[in-house]
Amino acid sequence: MSKHSAGILLFKVVDRTPLVMLVHPGGPFWRNKDAGAWTIPKGECSDSEELQTTALREFAEETGTHLPDPELVPLGQVKQKGGKVVTAWAVEGDFDPSQLRSSEFELEWPPKSGQLRRFPEVDRAQWYDFAEAREKMNSAQHAFVQRLEEVLRERGRID
């Protein structure tokens, strides 16, 4: 069975230009990767947790910020190359990337060294316009940006 994750695509509209916030995965594997590595804040769902609850919890864990009473705009699901299914919601809001406070994970590093080290789940956050976001993010997640763009056009928020 494939894994399922849920996440939040945080967005804001500045002078009718939409921006989305993406995060860069932490740890040694992702250190020198950029294009195609960025993602929405997301995480794996447990069997007992609702997808929306997972998405909000993971956003808080990966950014250090809770979203107060957000309007969740459904963006549907995508399936990534490895088979993981990701369900996402868009939330309008603001976040200062310099305030990023990610939870950490433990990993044996260097491999086979017997040394456990701690790394942040995400090491950077950044705002991008839609074109930049598509260059930076995991290609399977482009659909979330496209769906958000459609919603914002329907609502008259962007041209």
Side-chain angles (χ1 to χ4, degrees):
M1 183 175 164
S2 63
K3 295 183 179 182
H4 198 135
S5 288
I8 299 292
L9 180 58
L10 191 67
F11 75 95
K12 62 184 176 181
V13 179
V14 178
D15 297 327
R16 298 190 61 83
T17 299
L19 302 173
V20 293
M21 191 197 75
L22 301 178
V23 295
H24 185 270
F29 177 78
W30 297 101
R31 183 175 311 145
N32 298 319
K33 293 176 175 45
D34 190 54
W38 293 71
T39 182
I40 66 172
K42 63 174 179 40
E44 206 167 306
C45 306
S46 70
D47 292 336
S48 63
E49 190 173 49
E50 291 186 26
L51 293 175
Q52 289 179 348
T53 303
T54 298
L56 293 168
R57 175 181 52 76
E58 286 293 331
F59 185 90
E61 287 179 6
E62 293 191 355
T63 65
T65 299
H66 291 273
L67 296 170
D69 195 29
E71 175 194 352
L72 297 171
V73 178
L75 298 176
Q77 295 182 341
V78 299
K79 189 171 189 176
Q80 297 184 162
K81 284 183 186 178
K84 180 185 283 186
V85 174
V86 180
T87 302
W89 289 265
V91 172
E92 187 166 10
D94 204 357
F95 178 79
D96 178 353
S98 71
Q99 299 301 308
L100 181 73
R101 301 291 179 267
S102 178
S103 58
E104 296 181 335
F105 67 96
E106 199 168 63
L107 176 70
E108 182 181 4
W109 192 258
K112 300 181 183 178
S113 67
Q115 297 176 10
L116 291 177
R117 294 187 50 201
R118 297 189 65 73
F119 298 95
E121 285 191 52
V122 300
D123 57 16
R124 289 175 275 163
Q126 186 66 49
W127 287 98
Y128 294 106
D129 65 30
F130 285 169
E132 293 170 318
R134 287 183 181 104
E135 290 176 18
K136 296 287 187 180
M137 72 192 312
N138 178 307
S139 61
Q141 295 179 22
H142 289 184
F144 296 143
V145 173
Q146 179 64 37
R147 294 169 192 163
L148 174 60
E149 185 173 15
E150 291 168 8
V151 167
L152 293 175
R153 284 191 198 291
E154 286 172 10
R155 292 182 178 185
R157 300 283 309 278
I158 62 174
D159 299 320

